[in-house]
Amino acid sequence: MQSDPVATEQMSIAMAGHVDHGKSTVIGRLLAETGSFPDGKIEQVRAMCQRNARPFEYAFLLDALKDEQAQGITIDTARCFFKTAKRNYILIDAPGHIEFLKNMITGAARAEAILLVIDAAEGIRENSTRHGYMVSMLGIRQVAILVNKMDSMGYDVGRFEAIKAEYSAFLAKINLEPLAFIPISGREGANLTTRSAAMPWYQGPTVLEQIDAFKKPEPPVAMPFRFPVQGVYKFTEQNDDRRIFAGTVDTGSVAVGDEVVFLPSGKHSRVASIERFNAPADPVARAGEALGFCLHTQIYVKPGELLVKAAEIQPSVSTRLRANLFWMGKAPMIKHKTYKLKLGAARSAVTLVNVVNVLDASELTSVRNKQQIDRHDVAECVLECPKPIAFDLERDLATTGRFVIVDDYEIAGAGIVLEALRGQDSVLKDHFLERERHWESSEVSADRRAGEYRHRAKFVLLTGRTEDGSADKAQALAKALELRLFWLHFKAYYLGARNVALGLDAHFDEGGYSGDSRIRRLGELARILTDSGQIFIASIPDLDVYDIQTLELLNKPNEILVVNVGGTPIENYSAAFTVPAEASVDGGVNAVGMLLRQKDVILEYSI
Amino acid sequence: MNHLDRLEAQGVRILREAYRDFKDLAMLWSIGKDSTVLLWLTRKAFFGHVPFPLVHVDTRFKIPEMIAYRDRLAMEWHVNMIVGQNVEALRDKQTFPDGNLTRIQCCRRLKSEALKHTLSGDWPRLRLDHASGEYVVDSKPEPFTGVIVGVRADEEGSRSKERYFSPRDKDSEWDIGDQPPELWNQFKTDFAPGTHVRIHPLLDWTELNIWEYIERENIPVVSLYFDQGNGTRYRSLGCYPCTKPIDSKARNIAEIIAELRTGKLKNVAERSGRDQDKEDGGGLETLRREGYM
């Protein structure tokens, strides 16, 4: 007999608020009063307090770790479990101390509702407002404010109303409307699970009643379909020939037969099947489900693309975006540095272009003319990726309108997209213009070199797809080309991509992100080597149009010659030459040699 | 979606994220119910396949039925199975059952140390050869940089502080005070050379959820979890010298679920049968900081 699963609906609730405003005490008391501690736990902590000659506090029940007892503050989010007749809860105790704000964010981000605690005596403090702002930015709409330690204020209704008025005004500024203000005392247990006789003037719900009144957010099925592609799987073991696009449906739904589009690549197909394991077949995939799709056509896309329905509102596809960004990194976010952006399943390099203004989260005043984003700043800023990415505006579709930024291997920033920007000069172009303005030319002109070497400088770039084996062939061809040119006494040099990775790249510790920087460094190398008059040959697998444009720009004023190997064309780019999949390496070298002559790279007949 | 659907979807998402970003990925399989659910979630995530190796640290004090069950499932589900152990400590009888170490010291030698060196690849690993069904020495062990572990936040205090993606430094140590933020399903998938990341897809599950899911999915579990006819069963599986069965007449999964929801186990900690947890106030926390699972 199957047990009834509905009996155990679960909800996550986080506690936020300024340090020492009594979050842990409220939780400890709530758990004790709902009988949620294992047998013997309360007695064990009481005995420990007695041994150490400390008065028992409910907060000790939670501060299960040694470090926290020593410091008396919650340093990390702790989760505890309790249940009411209605459902099971995970209560997340988020730390109030500013040093641990990233832990508070972690705790609050997991929650479906927030209880924000304010000390009635101390009133609204820096982290009361900061946490309020964070909750708003995290997109959590179910919030109740607990005005704690009412016992210390003689349960004064005037004090409660004053805090309520002041904090409501603040929350209104950030578009957050709390569901309730509840006057409580964690220490005395007032209005936690039972109504307090000391505050007859309060008619609203107890904390427990409010918790049960929070609604379980339903997966957003009635929204446009968004499916970040986490993986493209083809497991050949046990004769499985499915090619599955795997991920989780963020919003909306899609059915077998629907026309779908991958973005930013723009490739279209139709859903052939919905793949699940050990689950009943269902021709519709809905928000919240982690599953996979097989498509009608064999198309190649990389993980990180966003799958959407062709017939619905499309997301933005752009390289530039305006965002609100909260920074948690130890080092500030600065311009001219490459960070890693993670949005949905997409990963991209990103740079800070402009800081529009910085909001002081505790005061809610804005500071202009800042050039960087410091730790704990909330900034409105403009960010740029080297290639377009697909996203929604956060106010339209929150899940695909949020991103994080990685610096030094850590998630250092969290942001929401306000606007897609386009039609402006890129960071890369600025860099290129600046570089060329200051380029130091030698006394030997390019023409004199060409006359001496019998060829012009050129960057010959070969590419091919990894998945059909063309990448290996492109590499073999590149090496053979170098050898042929060398025999003919030309100044040709083949650079193995791996040598750059092992050597030059190894000296750049970019906190785990290197994809686009490698392309950029190759472009800079190409500029130098072509400046020396050489025919510079490289082979890079799976290049797309943006990679090539980057290399083209960085190699300027010299020119690039792109040779595509194999049957798969480069999307939105026409290569100078395509070596067919069936051509031999020798045949390919001959063909590229002819091309160099046609293009007047090689100045006389000699190949 | 009910709560099990949500927990499953989140677990699958985390596993796929790990598979995408960690080239040298492995999953720890203790043969217990939690990590077996994790193995099942892996088959969910990868549509019936298990695309990374499973690592079991064998203390040689495991209950024999556990080993038989491990090898049966590994063969059936085409699992790339890796086994590691502290050969030296076992040879020199540096263990608690041999009377030479305390329980905590024994855990440290046979589990923490064996695990650390099996993951880093500097101690020999055994690998299941599916053709013969025998374990053979792994010829070139690579260090694992991502390790998937079935810990749950409700197990004990220190585990409730874990992240889904939790970094460990070069010495496998855990800095609880300075953990990376996690939000909007974005995890720490970038890591410095020499460090590794522990991945916890079951963090939000409770013991009850585990059994509910085992029931729903019909996942095979070791029969030691059920009353064998003498009114006792194991609630948590470990080494036999340090794990005691509990008094319970639950004979099947439905009865275990009933017992957890309303019966006598409602308010009794799951690891109450694990003696090493009681040796000093923060025994398990100390072990966990050092790399214990």
Side-chain angles (χ1 to χ4, degrees), chain A residues 183-420:
Chain A
I184 63 164
S185 165
R187 204 167 60 185
E188 303 302 323
N191 286 339
L192 289 182
T193 59
T194 52
R195 204 162 297 278
S196 164
M199 292 176 277
W201 44 265
Y202 176 73
Q203 300 299 320
T206 62
V207 174
L208 205 59
E209 286 165 351
Q210 180 56 54
I211 286 173
D212 272 345
F214 286 135
K215 292 194 177 67
K216 185 84 192 162
E218 280 304 309
V221 177
M223 298 272 223
F225 171 68
R226 297 290 186 259
F227 183 83
V229 179
Q230 264 186 307
V232 184
Y233 302 145
K234 190 157 187 342
F235 299 109
T236 48
E237 280 165 37
Q238 298 139 59
N239 301 319
D240 189 345
D241 59 2
R242 292 173 295 175
R243 192 157 183 279
I244 304 175
F245 297 84
T248 301
V249 183
D250 268 348
T251 52
S253 66
V254 72
V256 170
D258 283 350
E259 190 185 357
V260 288
V261 191
F262 290 93
L263 293 171
S265 72
K267 293 177 183 174
H268 281 247
S269 191
R270 274 190 308 117
V271 176
S273 65
I274 296 174
E275 299 292 331
R276 300 175 174 93
F277 176 78
N278 198 45
D282 184 345
V284 181
R286 298 173 188 83
E289 289 187 86
L291 36 69
F293 300 105
C294 290
L295 301 176
H296 272 291
T297 43
Q298 188 81 304
I299 57 174
Y300 290 106
V301 294
K302 292 178 189 167
E305 296 244 341
L306 184 62
L307 186 67
V308 307
K309 272 204 284 209
E312 287 182 336
I313 297 171
Q314 301 292 293
S316 302
V317 175
S318 174
T319 54
R320 260 188 196 226
L321 49 93
R322 188 167 61 84
N324 264 346
L325 180 70
F326 168 61
W327 195 250
M328 297 167 263
K330 288 188 184 104
M333 188 184 198
I334 53 172
K335 295 177 184 177
H336 308 296
K337 179 178 170 183
T338 303
Y339 297 88
K340 176 179 179 176
L341 175 131
K342 295 169 81 176
L343 189 156
R347 285 93 203 266
S348 167
V350 69
T351 44
L352 174 65
V353 176
N354 185 25
V355 184
V356 180
N357 69 58
V358 171
L359 186 84
D360 184 325
S362 58
E363 301 288 331
L364 274 190
T365 52
S366 60
V367 185
R368 289 187 182 271
N369 301 322
K370 267 190 87 159
Q371 292 301 306
Q372 62 179 36
I373 306 173
D374 292 311
R375 192 177 198 189
H376 301 147
D377 278 352
V378 178
E380 187 188 323
C381 58
V382 176
L383 301 173
E384 187 183 281
C385 303
K387 303 177 189 182
I389 55 164
F391 55 87
D392 287 288
L393 307 189
E394 194 261 354
R395 64 171 176 274
D396 299 335
L397 262 183
T399 41
T400 33
R402 297 165 169 164
F403 61 89
V404 298
I405 287 177
V406 177
D407 180 26
D408 193 25
Y409 307 104
E410 298 286 344
I411 291 177
I416 57 178
V417 182
L418 303 174
E419 187 187 2

Side-chain angles (χ1 to χ4, degrees), chain B residues 127-139:
Chain B
R127 191 181 283 272
L128 179 62
D129 173 24
H130 280 262
S132 65
E134 301 291 320
Y135 282 87
V136 294
V137 176
D138 193 1
S139 51

Side-chain angles (χ1 to χ4, degrees), chain B residues 276-292:
Chain B
Q276 69 267 36
D277 294 16
K278 296 168 191 157
E279 278 209 341
D280 77 342
L284 200 55
E285 189 199 325
T286 311
L287 281 175
R288 283 185 60 70
R289 281 179 191 261
E290 294 169 355
Y292 183 84

Side-chain angles (χ1 to χ4, degrees), chain B residues 159-178:
Chain B
R159 291 187 183 185
S160 73
K161 311 267 172 175
E162 286 280 13
R163 298 285 194 264
Y164 294 121
F165 285 66
S166 186
R168 296 293 192 272
D169 70 10
K170 286 192 171 74
D171 302 313
S172 285
E173 294 205 349
W174 179 33
D175 186 352
I176 304 172
D178 186 23

Side-chain angles (χ1 to χ4, degrees), chain A residues 554-568:
Chain A
L554 289 174
N555 185 52
K556 276 182 183 176
N558 288 306
E559 284 174 1
I560 196 167
L561 184 82
V562 177
V563 176
N564 187 31
V565 179
T568 316

Side-chain angles (χ1 to χ4, degrees), chain A residues 10, chain B residues 2-12 201 204-205 209:
Chain A
Q10 210 160 284
Chain B
N2 67 34
H3 70 291
L4 288 181
D5 298 327
R6 287 173 206 256
L7 288 169
E8 178 191 78
Q10 181 69 350
V12 165
D204 291 338
W205 296 51
N209 297 150

